[in-house]
């Protein structure tokens, strides 16, 4: 962790300890949430999109200002069928603007709402090195093919041959932490008998309440095609390149062990305020229990390829009822 | 999409996938260091799964920090600890964590699998179980582990008579009614994590009942389907839990042709387009009823996995990255 980041964490922690949680609503004025509003918005998300659940998390890490059983929200096993760079290329090709549009970038030079893709011709070497989308190829061919021969003779095939296993000693698979073997683990080298199954990265996405910024905060826990934990750095491949390493950083999760990628919340309030203003200008009265739906749409511009946004169909404010 | 009607085809099940959350290894490490020491006794676990909720990604059995018993000495982990979370149907399992790579390799995986499969046969309330063997190298923070989902072998194998999307198998009224009752079942904290159930369809009206009510309701409807939460997303094959389920139904109720319902969801709600309705022919061998019989079992995943967590667990590396 960079020193300045570390110092800021210490500062933030101290402020969080000595200041009480927000109790007065400033949702429309500042785009932030009080603790109870976070719970209300979370309850609504869980009710409307039941793949999300509240978690209690580790007892030692619980925040006293949140209900014990509602410490953070999580949705698991969310597919990420391709890397963000490929989406950006398509996006550039289409020449469109992203989601909420970056109409006033002047005072938003962090690029939160900026148009999305990279200019053509600046494609980095990394794109070349990235493995081609095997999963996409399968998709293009249409349906997932039928079951492979692996199931055929039951006991012979289901139980790996013990003798073979003892002789070859090849069961310690390629080191996922080493960048040298990244590509081979990324591609499906390990289970050839299974290669008709669509293989894709998946994510567990969690939303915590950040007391300092008084906004929700999104965390990404990635798994590779073999369902092994993804090194947090590799998560950057699934993040819009405008945000990788800038607004998306790797930090300690407040409730879970280990380092996780997170969309830094320092601009969340301001961005949410803008979204809310846009809605109000269109005659929609935003309701606080819809906050997380709006919030997830905004997060979708940061992580364009992770398919968690199930909230599109829901009304966002009272006038649309 | 047409229904597959082929009397000669063996029913093939999509194997269960597994995933271990990093928190599980953190907690196992502290258990080893703080209390278990060199004790290699099997540890009871609770894994979690949910029905498939995406047309392209199967759901998996997940081990979390909470999968380990809170008190390591109390090795029976009671399932009632966690209840009512729709995204976490509890599945009982056993962990054999070895202290050395040699003892990991020396484990008799065939016998272990048989033992677990026997538990399935003995306790019909738990048709789904899993088994993990592991070697937790706490010096290098490497976690070698190998999953098995024990399934009793049907000999002769179950044959598939037909299988199709539930949407195609049912008329529109039946489908709507079935979706509604399944959403209700999934929304009630009493039943949301009960993965095996009965569907009765009568006059286009569907009801869900507990499996134990089979005797009472077998003459109630025109159609009786054995339902289960299916983690698989495959359009033509049921998931792994059906395997023991069929064996159990055949043995307990003596049914030769079993109609089943693979329940799947989209975005957390019933999706009959993704769900399957099928019929299988099962003929249990006579020797199953003999007391000394030990069933043949399958279910080891093709390969073990090795997870390296030095980045997040090694105190020295953590100190360096924090500096």
């Amino acid at each position: 962790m960079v020193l300045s980041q570390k110092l800021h964490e210490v500062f933030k922690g101290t402020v969080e300890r000595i200041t009480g949680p927000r109790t007065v609503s400033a949702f429309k004025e500042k785009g932030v949430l009080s603790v109870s509003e976070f719970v209300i918005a979370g309850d609504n998300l869980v009710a409307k999109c039941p793949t999300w659940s509240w978690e209690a998390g580790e007892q030692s890490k619980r925040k006293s200002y949140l209900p014990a059983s509602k410490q953070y929200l999580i949705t698991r096993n969310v597919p990420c069928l391709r890397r963000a760079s490929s989406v950006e290329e398509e996006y550039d090709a289409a020449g469109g603007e992203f989601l909420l549009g970056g109409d006033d970038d002047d005072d938003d030079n962090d690029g939160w709402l900026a148009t999305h893709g990279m200019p053509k011709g600046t494609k980095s070497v990394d794109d070349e090195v990235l493995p081609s989308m095997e999963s996409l190829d399968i998709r293009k061919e249409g349906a997932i093919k039928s079951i492979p021969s692996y199931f055929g003779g039951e006991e012979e095939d289901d139980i790996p041959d013990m003798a073979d296993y003892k002789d070859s000693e090849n069961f310690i698979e390629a080191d996922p932490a080493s960048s040298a073997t990244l590509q081979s683990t990324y591609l499906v080298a390990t289970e050839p008998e299974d290669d008709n199954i669509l293989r894709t990265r998946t994510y567990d996405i969690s939303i915590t309440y950040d007391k300092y910024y008084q906004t929700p905060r999104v965390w990404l826990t990635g798994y590779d095609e073999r369902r092994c934990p993804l090194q947090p750095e590799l998560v950057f491949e699934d993040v819009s390149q405008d945000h990788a390493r800038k607004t998306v950083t790797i930090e300690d999760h407040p409730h879970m062990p280990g380092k996780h990628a997170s969309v830094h919340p320092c601009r969340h309030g301001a961005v949410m305020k803008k979204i809310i203003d846009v809605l109000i200008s269109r005659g929609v009265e935003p309701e606080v229990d819809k906050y997380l739906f709006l919030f997830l749409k905004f997060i979708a511009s940061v992580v364009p390829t992770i398919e968690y946004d199930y909230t599109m169909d829901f009304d966002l404010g009272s006038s649309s009822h | 999409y047409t229904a597959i009607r082929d009397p000669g085809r063996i029913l093939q099940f999509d194997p269960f996938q597994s995933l271990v959350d990093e928190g599980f290894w953190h907690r196992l490490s502290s258990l080893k260091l703080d209390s278990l020491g060199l004790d290699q006794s099997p540890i009871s676990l609770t894994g979690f799964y949910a029905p498939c909720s995406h047309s392209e990604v199967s759901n998996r059995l997940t081990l979390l920090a909470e999968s380990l018993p809170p008190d390591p000495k109390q090795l029976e982990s009671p399932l009632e600890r966690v209840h009512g979370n729709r995204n976490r149907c509890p599945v009982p399992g056993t962990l054999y964590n070895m202290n050395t790579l040699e003892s990991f390799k020396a484990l008799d995986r065939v016998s272990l699998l048989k033992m677990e499969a026997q538990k399935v046969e003995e306790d019909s309330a738990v048709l789904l179980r899993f088994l993990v063997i592991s070697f937790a190298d706490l010096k290098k923070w490497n976690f070698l582990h190998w999953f098995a989902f024990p399934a009793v072998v049907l000999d002769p194998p179950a044959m598939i008579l037909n299988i199709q999307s539930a949407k195609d198998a049912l008329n529109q009224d039946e489908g709507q009614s079935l979706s509604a009752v399944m959403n209700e079942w999934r929304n009630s904290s009493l039943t949301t994590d009960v993965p095996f159930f009965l569907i009765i369809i009568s006059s286009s009206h569907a009801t869900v009942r507990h499996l134990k009510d089979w005797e009472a309701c077998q003459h109630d409807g025109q159609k009786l389907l054995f339902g289960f939460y299916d983690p698989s997303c495959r359009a033509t094959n049921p998931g792994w839990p059906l395997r023991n389920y069929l064996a159990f139904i055949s043995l307990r109720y003596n049914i030769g042709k079993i109609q089943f319902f693979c329940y799947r969801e989209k975005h957390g709600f019933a999706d009959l387009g993704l769900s399957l309705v099928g019929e299988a022919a099962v003929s249990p061998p006579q020797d199953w009823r003999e007391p000394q019989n030990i069933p043949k079992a399958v279910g080891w995943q093709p390969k073990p996995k090795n997870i390296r967590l030095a980045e997040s667990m090694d105190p020295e590396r953590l100190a360096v990255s924090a500096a």
Side-chain angles (χ1 to χ4, degrees), chain B residues 75-105:
Chain B
L75 292 180
E76 289 305 308
S77 107
L79 279 180
E80 55 270 21
R81 278 195 295 125
V82 259
H83 252 305
N85 183 334
R86 61 178 290 129
N87 297 319
R88 282 199 192 180
C89 305
V91 179
T94 312
L95 170 70
Y96 293 83
N97 182 53
M98 298 291 114
N99 294 326
T100 62
L101 185 58
E102 288 64 38
S103 48
F104 174 85
K105 284 198 260 182

Side-chain angles (χ1 to χ4, degrees), chain A residues 18-71:
Chain A
I18 59 178
T19 51
R22 170 170 286 278
T23 48
V24 181
S25 176
F27 157 61
K28 281 179 214 164
E29 293 74 25
K30 295 182 179 167
V32 297
L33 281 187
S34 71
V35 170
S36 60
E37 285 172 333
F38 174 68
V39 174
I40 290 168
D43 282 346
N44 197 32
L45 179 67
V46 168
K48 299 276 169 43
C49 309
T51 49
W52 287 93
S53 317
W54 282 109
E55 295 271 327
E58 261 183 68
Q59 200 157 8
S60 59
K61 293 184 174 176
R62 281 189 200 150
K63 313 289 179 201
S64 56
Y65 48 84
L66 283 163
S69 61
K70 295 181 178 178
Q71 293 282 308

Side-chain angles (χ1 to χ4, degrees), chain B residues 117-138:
Chain B
Q118 211 163 2
K119 288 184 197 166
V120 171
E121 205 186 29
E122 280 161 7
D123 182 2
S124 61
V126 188
L127 293 169
L128 197 49
R129 295 193 75 91
F130 68 96
L131 173 66
V132 193
I133 59 173
S134 66
F135 164 52
D137 184 344
L138 299 185

Side-chain angles (χ1 to χ4, degrees), chain B residues 239-254:
Chain B
W240 203 245
L242 182 63
R243 217 170 155 147
N244 286 334
Y245 198 20
L246 288 181
F248 163 78
I249 295 163
S250 155
L251 206 59
R252 169 72 64 92
Y253 304 127
N254 208 17

Side-chain angles (χ1 to χ4, degrees), chain A residues 4-294:
Chain A
S4 59
Q5 197 182 339
K6 185 76 189 164
L7 282 174
H8 182 67
E9 287 299 307
V10 173
F11 167 72
K12 188 168 167 288
T14 312
V15 173
E16 282 181 358
R17 267 194 302 280
I18 59 178
T19 51
R22 170 170 286 278
T23 48
V24 181
S25 176
F27 157 61
K28 281 179 214 164
E29 293 74 25
K30 295 182 179 167
V32 297
L33 281 187
S34 71
V35 170
S36 60
E37 285 172 333
F38 174 68
V39 174
I40 290 168
D43 282 346
N44 197 32
L45 179 67
V46 168
K48 299 276 169 43
C49 309
T51 49
W52 287 93
S53 317
W54 282 109
E55 295 271 327
E58 261 183 68
Q59 200 157 8
S60 59
K61 293 184 174 176
R62 281 189 200 150
K63 313 289 179 201
S64 56
Y65 48 84
L66 283 163
S69 61
K70 295 181 178 178
Q71 293 282 308
Y72 64 102
L73 295 149
I74 195 162
T75 182
R76 297 180 195 276
N77 201 29
V78 181
C80 180
L81 298 168
R82 51 197 179 152
R83 304 289 76 83
S85 54
S86 70
V87 173
E88 288 176 359
E89 279 164 32
E90 281 171 28
Y91 169 79
D92 289 342
E97 285 202 333
F98 210 77
L99 213 81
L100 291 153
D103 48 2
D104 52 353
D105 280 338
D106 296 342
D107 59 345
D108 185 26
N109 49 17
D110 287 355
W112 278 118
L113 294 177
T115 50
H116 194 252
M118 291 180 287
K120 274 179 195 165
T122 60
K123 204 170 108 170
S124 70
V125 184
D126 281 354
D127 293 335
E128 246 87 60
V129 179
L130 277 178
S132 68
M133 304 297 146
E134 176 163 305
S135 57
L136 274 186
D137 291 341
I138 292 171
R139 292 183 77 201
K140 277 179 195 151
E141 283 169 38
I144 297 162
K145 286 175 208 149
S146 68
I147 234 115
S149 58
Y150 162 55
F151 299 93
E154 309 210 59
E155 48 273 53
E156 295 84 16
D157 286 334
D158 280 356
I159 301 178
D161 189 279
M162 279 301 277
D164 179 21
Y165 149 64
K166 273 181 181 157
D167 289 347
S168 62
E169 302 253 305
N170 64 351
F171 56 91
I172 297 179
E173 293 175 0
D175 178 5
S178 143
S179 58
T181 55
L182 172 76
Q183 291 184 40
S184 63
T185 56
Y186 177 74
L187 296 172
V188 195
T190 51
E191 290 163 84
E193 62 274 72
D194 239 355
D195 60 1
N196 287 330
I197 297 177
L198 173 71
R199 299 202 163 259
T200 177
R201 284 186 181 178
T202 58
Y203 278 89
D204 292 350
I205 302 167
S206 49
I207 303 176
T208 58
Y209 181 74
D210 192 288
K211 195 177 155 210
Y212 180 83
Y213 292 105
Q214 302 172 356
T215 61
R217 177 169 191 171
V218 163
W219 300 82
L220 304 169
T221 310
Y223 298 92
D224 68 13
E225 291 73 2
R226 299 174 308 141
R227 293 162 298 284
C228 291
L230 200 61
Q231 292 299 312
E233 285 75 18
L234 297 182
V235 173
F236 288 134
E237 296 173 354
D238 297 323
V239 168
S240 144
Q241 296 308 300
D242 294 343
H243 297 295
R245 294 174 203 277
K246 286 183 279 181
T247 44
V248 178
T249 52
I250 292 161
E251 290 175 51
D252 290 325
H253 192 287
H255 298 279
M256 300 196 278
K259 300 276 178 194
H260 300 255
S262 169
V263 184
H264 200 275
C266 55
R267 301 277 301 149
H268 284 8
V271 174
M272 288 303 290
K273 164 75 175 146
K274 271 186 195 168
I275 296 174
I276 289 161
D277 286 348
V278 168
L279 285 178
I280 291 174
S281 73
R282 289 178 190 165
V284 178
E285 185 64 21
E287 292 172 346
V288 78
D289 65 343
K290 311 283 186 352
Y291 186 101
L292 287 174
F293 301 159
L294 296 173

